[in-house]
Amino acid sequence: MTMVEPNTDIEIRLLIEAIYLKYSYDFRDYSGASIKRRIHHALRQLECKTISALQERVLHDPTAFMQLLQYLTIPVSEMFRDPEHFLAIRREVVPLLRTYPSIKIWIAGCSTGEEVYSMAILLREEGLLERTIIYATDINPQSLDKAKQGIYSMENLRTYTENYQRAGGQQAFSNYYTAAYGNAIFDSSLRDNVTFADHSLATDSVFSETQLVSCRNVLIYFNKKLQDRAFGLFHESLCHRGFLVLGSKETLDFSAYSEQFEALAKPERIYRKR
Ligand SMILES: C[S@@+](CC[C@H](N)C(=O)[O-])C[C@H]1O[C@@H](n2cnc3c(N)ncnc32)[C@H](O)[C@@H]1O
């Protein structure tokens, strides 16, 4: 006897396929449970009764698709998120990065840019920012626009300041931004050497050789096949002995690339290409 899929699962597959065919965004290899949760959340927010109704709407209305994209991509970030991770980059990775005459860093899935400004501040304090190019990529154009502006709500600045200090920050965090109308406007020179670009780990290929790739809190949303695709891109992009930094809940263990990397600081998820 063949098992019949529940209607919801069929509708989700059709929606994901429709998005791929119409807009070329490929969510087919995202983790099933998480995509299901996000689609149900989007249904409520976009006031659609069924997933089929949502599909009909996004197929005919690109604005509705952009709204749905905000729910599917989870544009959540924080400055110096997991401070011990940035501290480990400062202590373990920076001394080795220093040996390169010029440095290229790829921040994949940079969302609204908090990770990019954190990395730029750390590199400036270590005297490396001027000889570094940072490629900051994401699939969400609205997030990339926000990242380019570098303006964040003052409400979050207390947390960001604490994170910065715990990450080994050397100055007053307020030196890096100007407060205005409830926002913190970050020093634009931090992004002088940053290129923000649309790039999908699901469909695009490698674009540059890099010394460090940071991809944090993105792979948790992918299934194993797509995680392996992303690891393949990072492996190809990284120079000999380059560094790979993952999020606190992500690991190279059990991946197709586990043998190609060694752990440099395992608890902080920092790896080095063999
Ligand atoms: C939770 S945020 C992580 C932001 C940041 N890296 C951090 O750790 O704070 C996940 C980001 O991954 C991006 N993303 C999702 N699928 C992607 C893909 N296929 N290629 C590149 N980025 C993707 C989303 O748009 C979102 O901005």
Side-chain angles (χ1 to χ4, degrees):
M1 203 176 77
T2 49
M3 288 287 285
V4 179
E5 266 189 273
N7 272 357
T8 321
D9 292 0
I10 296 172
E11 285 181 291
I12 289 177
R13 272 174 45 192
L14 293 172
L15 170 66
I16 298 295
E17 199 66 36
I19 290 173
Y20 180 57
L21 293 173
K22 173 85 183 177
Y23 299 102
S24 305
Y25 280 86
D26 192 354
F27 291 99
R28 292 175 301 177
D29 285 316
Y30 282 50
S31 124
S34 127
I35 206 108
K36 199 171 190 169
R37 260 197 317 277
R38 278 174 286 148
I39 289 175
H40 281 289
H41 179 61
L43 278 184
R44 288 190 295 277
Q45 301 299 317
L46 299 175
E47 296 179 358
C48 289
K49 284 208 169 65
T50 63
I51 300 169
S52 301
L54 179 62
Q55 177 187 320
E56 151 108 24
R57 189 147 149 218
V58 300
L59 269 182
H60 297 283
D61 179 359
T63 313
F65 170 66
M66 280 316 290
Q67 285 174 291
L68 175 60
L69 190 64
Q70 304 318 307
Y71 300 112
L72 292 181
T73 53
I74 323 210
V76 177
S77 193
E78 209 175 90
M79 284 193 138
F80 292 95
R81 186 177 191 173
D82 306 319
E84 64 287 357
H85 146 98
F86 281 92
L87 189 60
I89 294 183
R90 213 186 260 272
R91 289 187 176 157
E92 316 273 337
V93 180
V94 162
L96 298 162
L97 278 183
R98 240 184 245 299
T99 62
Y100 294 95
S102 66
I103 303 162
K104 286 186 183 163
I105 292 180
W106 176 16
I107 301 184
C110 69
S111 190
T112 38
E114 291 84 340
E115 188 183 345
V116 181
Y117 290 91
S118 307
M119 185 69 83
I121 288 169
L122 187 158
L123 292 170
R124 173 162 289 170
E125 292 185 354
E126 297 296 333
L128 294 181
L129 187 59
E130 272 59 47
R131 58 172 144 129
T132 302
I133 293 175
I134 300 179
Y135 300 102
T137 62
D138 204 282
I139 56 167
N140 184 333
Q142 287 188 13
S143 295
L144 284 171
D145 281 347
K146 180 143 199 251
K148 283 176 204 161
Q149 288 165 11
I151 302 176
Y152 303 104
S153 168
M154 278 305 281
E155 278 175 20
N156 300 324
L157 261 288
R158 182 195 282 262
T159 306
Y160 294 176
T161 304
E162 281 169 16
N163 286 355
Y164 164 76
Q165 286 160 349
R166 287 175 50 207
Q170 295 167 353
Q171 298 201 18
F173 194 48
S174 54
N175 287 353
Y176 294 105
Y177 64 85
T178 311
Y181 306 107
N183 286 319
I185 304 166
F186 275 79
D187 177 356
S188 64
S189 70
L190 290 169
R191 56 177 181 272
D192 277 351
N193 297 348
V194 181
T195 301
F196 293 96
D198 173 39
H199 180 279
S200 171
L201 295 167
T203 52
D204 292 324
S205 45
V206 165
F207 51 87
S208 179
E209 188 187 69
T210 55
Q211 278 70 44
L212 186 152
V213 173
S214 178
C215 183
R216 308 195 63 226
N217 308 298
V218 181
L219 302 179
I220 29 167
Y221 302 113
F222 294 177
N223 70 13
K224 183 170 182 315
K225 180 178 156 207
L226 187 50
Q227 286 177 357
D228 281 343
R229 184 187 198 277
F231 286 137
L233 295 180
F234 303 153
H235 185 263
E236 200 184 328
S237 168
L238 284 169
C239 65
H240 176 64
R241 305 297 285 148
F243 304 94
L244 174 62
V245 183
L246 303 178
S248 58
K249 296 192 194 74
E250 295 157 338
T251 175
L252 262 166
D253 296 347
F254 316 113
S255 83
Y257 286 83
S258 59
E259 296 300 313
Q260 332 289 341
F261 288 88
E262 65 195 27
L264 181 73
K266 198 152 194 199
E268 290 83 16
R269 303 294 194 268
I270 303 177
Y271 300 87
R272 200 162 184 202
K273 189 170 163 179
R274 281 190 204 274

